[in-house]
Amino acid sequence: MRLTDKIIEYFVVRPIYGVMLLARWIFLRDSWVGKFLHNCVYFVVGRVTTPQIEHKRKFVILKDIISGNRVGMQIQNHIYTSAPTYWKHFMKNVFAWRLVVGSIKRRIYYLFGHVVPSVIVISPNAPGEGCNLSCRGCYASGHPEAKMPIALFEKIIKEQEDLGIFTVFITGGEPLLYEGFWDITKKYRRTIFWTATNGTLITEKEVELMAETGNVVLNFNLDGFKKETDFMKGEGAFEKIREGIRKCQNAKLIYLATVTVSKHNFQTVASDKFIRMLVEYGFIGVNFSHYVPVGDDARPEWQISFEQSKRLDEWGKGIIKRFPIFVTIGRNGTDRVDGCFAANQYIHILPDGRIEPCPFAHWATGQNIKDSTILEIMDSAFIKTIREINKAGIPGLTPCRAQHIKSLQEGFEKLGAKSTIIKQEKEEEIYGERKRINAL
């Protein structure tokens, strides 16, 4: 640890951590007044130290809890009574290092004209050999098979900590198949690794490793109940995922669910019955993501309708008042999007080091993280242009729709960006099919 980090650790992080330990003790006393005061402290400190654009939804939820939502307090109790390494990591690293120290660092860079993302999305391996399943409609199915060198992976993790990010989202392929993943998570304890997994490979060994560090939070990908999940992932997948969830639940780990909503599973997942299952399985949160027809196995006919998207939003708003689970709903890839966080709050780094503005926007800058820094990439012409497009807030005009918008593709190519999909001709077929469907 460098001298500056040691100074920050002893004179900033540890005092804040001490206050958080006291706050936890107050919260766990059987007193509603104590819980109310606890949440007020978190809300005020969080709003002062964190840019409003970051974690805006979380503050809205926290404000709702302060107003007397006892269901929301059940979620907080879930966090505070999880495995010790988890609640300690959330207080010391997520709150003190990221929300306080990290926010200050990122604001300083902003004053000097730089944009520092809040999250770095990394795919250390790709579908094919890098995954044990072949899910239908996989967004990454068109990417070439590759594996990120461990030295490059570590370079990215170290660099994002220096920038004050302390948060990475690991996707793939299947991240748990990446050799060296656990070595990295144990070495960089200040970073939280939100890890997208199909959930079929979790063993007692993985659970022990997660309980040891407390900085790996699994995001199980579910498609509904057994019928829907097995349809997407293959026969028997749901039971394997359930077994992995059970191991995490017994160890009191914190984990979330990610649900891709399509016409195939809309009626199932947008239901109280599905939420009850998630609560029973011990999930602390769920993110509903609209299906985006990208990749080599894109299926435009699976996209949910405009009305279904609105219904999903309205239904999701009331969940926190009735069930102890955080719910977020993305509108990615739809006509309802009037701006997104791609190239601003996050970027996506492929196994070979190329950079996409978003995992669903399969276009990469002319730069490579092997010989460029995160700041240099964020300042590149292509990434800046993506930010300008998103800032314009034109409904439906987002980078994840570039696969279907020729003018965007031509503009990206002029900026030196190239498609990251192997079969470029497949994109043309999908684009033509999309036009035909729209005409109908």
Side-chain angles (χ1 to χ4, degrees):
M1 188 182 290
R2 294 174 302 183
L3 180 60
T4 53
D5 284 346
K6 286 182 178 179
I7 293 172
I8 293 171
E9 171 75 25
Y10 282 96
F11 294 100
V12 179
V13 173
R14 291 195 178 185
I16 293 174
Y17 179 56
V19 172
M20 294 301 101
L21 285 174
L22 177 61
R24 175 181 179 270
W25 181 85
I26 292 173
F27 184 88
L28 291 178
R29 300 308 93 190
D30 196 16
S31 165
W32 188 89
V33 174
K35 289 177 171 55
F36 176 80
L37 293 174
H38 162 278
N39 287 333
C40 285
V41 170
Y42 264 90
F43 183 78
V44 173
V45 174
R47 286 301 298 265
V48 169
T49 59
T50 309
Q52 188 171 352
I53 191 172
E54 298 180 29
H55 308 285
K56 186 176 180 182
R57 291 174 180 170
K58 296 177 184 178
F59 285 125
V60 169
I61 293 171
L62 191 54
K63 188 176 180 180
D64 184 53
I65 292 173
I66 292 172
S67 67
N69 183 352
R70 295 180 185 274
V71 173
M73 288 183 181
Q74 288 179 318
I75 300 173
Q76 293 176 311
N77 189 75
H78 186 157
I79 296 173
Y80 276 151
T81 56
S82 62
T85 50
Y86 271 75
W87 61 258
K88 288 178 181 179
H89 185 273
F90 270 73
M91 289 192 297
K92 183 177 181 180
N93 297 77
V94 176
F95 192 87
W97 270 107
R98 173 175 166 72
L99 292 186
V100 179
V101 177
S103 292
I104 293 171
K105 277 189 174 185
R106 297 196 300 277
R107 282 182 175 183
I108 291 172
Y109 280 108
Y110 180 79
L111 291 175
F112 284 91
H114 299 290
V115 174
V116 178
S118 299
V119 180
I120 300 294
V121 184
I122 306 172
S123 292
N125 51 14
E129 292 185 3
C131 190
N132 63 312
L133 298 180
S134 296
C135 300
R136 302 186 188 203
C138 176
Y139 77 93
S141 59
H143 286 146
E145 290 190 20
K147 178 183 176 182
M148 183 177 287
I150 191 70
L152 181 59
F153 195 1
E154 188 166 359
K155 171 188 181 292
I156 299 166
I157 301 302
K158 183 179 183 303
E159 195 173 324
Q160 62 86 27
E161 282 198 351
D162 291 341
L163 292 171
I165 300 173
F166 300 114
T167 305
V168 294
F169 190 91
I170 309 298
T171 182
E174 171 53 50
L176 299 187
L177 284 175
Y178 180 78
E179 187 178 352
F181 175 71
W182 299 109
D183 294 330
I184 292 289
T185 61
K186 285 191 285 186
K187 184 174 182 179
Y188 293 90
R189 299 289 285 270
R190 293 204 303 259
T191 291
I192 185 166
F193 294 82
W194 302 96
T195 305
T197 178
N198 60 46
T200 62
L201 299 176
I202 298 178
T203 65
E204 295 293 347
K205 180 183 178 181
E206 272 80 29
V207 171
E208 289 173 6
L209 288 167
M210 287 185 282
E212 177 187 337
T213 61
N215 65 341
V216 176
V217 178
L218 295 182
N219 287 252
F220 288 87
N221 182 255
L222 288 170
D223 301 286
F225 298 108
K226 184 179 188 302
K227 177 183 176 182
E228 294 80 16
T229 300
D230 284 0
F231 172 78
M232 295 295 288
K233 293 178 167 51
E235 190 67 31
F238 183 84
E239 290 306 322
K240 290 180 182 178
I241 297 169
R242 176 65 189 100
E243 181 61 21
I245 295 169
R246 185 191 63 79
K247 291 183 174 74
C248 294
Q249 191 172 18
N250 290 343
K252 292 190 173 183
L253 306 186
I254 292 175
Y255 46 94
L256 302 95
T258 298
V259 180
T260 301
V261 185
S262 66
K263 286 187 176 178
H264 162 68
N265 66 354
F266 178 82
Q267 295 296 335
T268 298
V269 299
S271 69
D272 286 3
K273 183 179 179 181
F274 181 66
I275 293 295
R276 287 191 189 95
M277 183 191 76
L278 296 181
V279 172
E280 178 188 341
Y281 287 1
F283 285 97
I284 197 169
V286 55
N287 175 61
F288 291 96
S289 175
H290 290 62
Y291 172 72
V292 182
V294 296
D296 219 20
D297 190 29
R299 307 187 185 209
E301 68 276 11
W302 281 10
Q303 286 183 291
I304 63 174
S305 67
F306 186 89
E307 287 303 318
Q308 285 176 316
S309 178
K310 288 176 64 177
R311 281 168 52 196
L312 184 66
D313 268 1
E314 290 303 313
W315 168 77
K317 288 176 183 177
I319 295 299
I320 189 66
K321 299 182 185 299
R322 296 182 290 119
F323 296 98
I325 188 169
F326 286 121
V327 175
T328 56
I329 298 175
R331 297 174 181 171
N332 46 308
T334 72
D335 291 330
R336 300 185 66 222
V337 177
D338 55 1
C340 77
F341 291 156
N344 187 11
Q345 296 298 303
Y346 54 80
I347 52 173
H348 178 220
I349 303 176
L350 293 168
D352 58 10
R354 290 180 296 168
I355 298 95
E356 297 175 334
C358 167
F360 297 103
H362 292 168
W363 289 80
T365 67
Q367 296 164 294
N368 193 296
I369 197 66
K370 294 176 182 177
D371 44 33
S372 298
T373 67
I374 293 173
L375 280 186
E376 288 171 342
I377 289 162
M378 294 300 290
D379 288 339
S380 68
F382 175 61
I383 294 298
K384 282 184 175 179
T385 299
I386 295 295
R387 282 203 295 272
E388 289 302 312
I389 291 173
N390 292 335
K391 188 178 178 180
I394 301 173
L397 187 62
T398 55
C400 59
R401 294 173 68 91
Q403 196 162 328
H404 315 298
I405 302 176
K406 278 293 183 181
S407 59
L408 277 182
Q409 295 177 23
E410 293 167 357
F412 292 169
E413 289 172 352
K414 289 179 181 178
L415 293 168
K418 295 182 179 180
S419 172
T420 56
I421 300 296
I422 298 174
K423 297 180 180 179
Q424 183 71 34
E425 67 274 12
K426 185 71 175 178
E427 293 185 26
E428 298 293 336
E429 292 172 13
I430 294 170
Y431 174 71
E433 178 67 4
R434 182 69 177 174
K435 280 185 67 177
R436 187 186 69 80
I437 290 173
N438 287 340
L440 293 174

